[in-house]
Amino acid sequence: MTATELDHIALLRRAIAESRKAREGGVHPFAAILVGPDGEVLMTQHNAYMPDHDMTGHAERVLMTRASTTLPMALLKDCTIYTSAEPCAMCAGAIYWAGLKRVVYGLSEHAMKQITGNHPENPTLDLPCRVVFAAGQREIEVIGPMLEDEAAAVHEGMWG
């Protein structure tokens, strides 16, 4: 399966569904999945904020730590991360350092900031991941925002 054959819509919907599961489990409604070049889901991760209140426990960052410590770099360079919301600057950095090829996301950071406002548990940085990646020395393909209404629906009533 080639990158153009990956079903971005279906895989992103899976990440959004995982974000819904995270919320139902009492965790902030964010999730990410790591997909190999053949379309196989290799790992899934929800936010790890609770129970220790780890403000760096974002789904993408935790997933990149897990992936980069257990999977070969040769595989990671052909992987795609699907995220329910655009990776923040911290998570974009983790994705860059893990060596991924592509990011596909639902809700943009700008839209996320509009939803959360200045909530103390999610002080959103309105900094597109494309800007973070552009400062790097290798290209990371970015696709998104996509399915923004579906991704936003998971956050309804969460941050008010």
Side-chain angles (χ1 to χ4, degrees):
M1 179 175 294
T2 67
T4 55
E5 293 173 339
L6 289 177
D7 188 342
H8 296 313
I9 298 291
L11 289 163
L12 184 55
R13 280 195 170 123
R14 185 162 172 185
I16 293 168
E18 288 294 329
S19 72
R20 190 171 296 106
K21 286 182 192 175
R23 182 172 179 175
E24 291 165 358
V27 181
H28 290 159
F30 299 97
I33 60 173
L34 182 65
V35 176
D38 61 356
E40 177 187 0
V41 174
L42 304 173
M43 293 182 178
T44 300
Q45 181 67 52
H46 297 170
N47 258 30
Y49 170 76
M50 301 301 279
D52 300 323
H53 301 285
D54 178 0
M55 294 301 286
T56 68
H58 296 191
E60 302 93 333
R61 202 274 308 150
V62 174
L63 183 62
M64 291 302 89
T65 296
R66 290 176 53 215
S68 66
T69 58
T70 60
L71 298 172
M73 193 78 148
L75 173 61
L76 291 175
K77 73 177 184 60
D78 291 323
C79 287
T80 301
I81 187 171
Y82 290 84
T83 68
S84 59
E86 182 174 6
C88 71
M90 173 184 66
C91 293
I95 291 164
Y96 176 82
W97 287 109
L100 296 195
K101 177 179 186 169
R102 179 182 308 106
V103 173
V104 180
Y105 69 87
L107 191 61
S108 71
E109 275 286 274
H110 183 73
M112 190 76 244
K113 187 176 181 182
Q114 300 305 310
I115 291 170
T116 63
N118 193 23
H119 195 283
E121 291 180 8
N122 195 28
T124 303
L125 290 168
D126 190 355
L127 179 65
C129 66
R130 286 175 173 90
V131 173
V132 176
F133 296 142
Q137 296 180 325
R138 60 179 185 75
E139 186 177 333
I140 297 176
E141 180 183 2
V142 179
I143 301 171
M146 289 177 62
L147 307 175
E148 225 171 354
D149 290 341
E150 291 178 39
V154 180
H155 293 270
E156 288 177 7
M158 175 76 195
W159 306 103

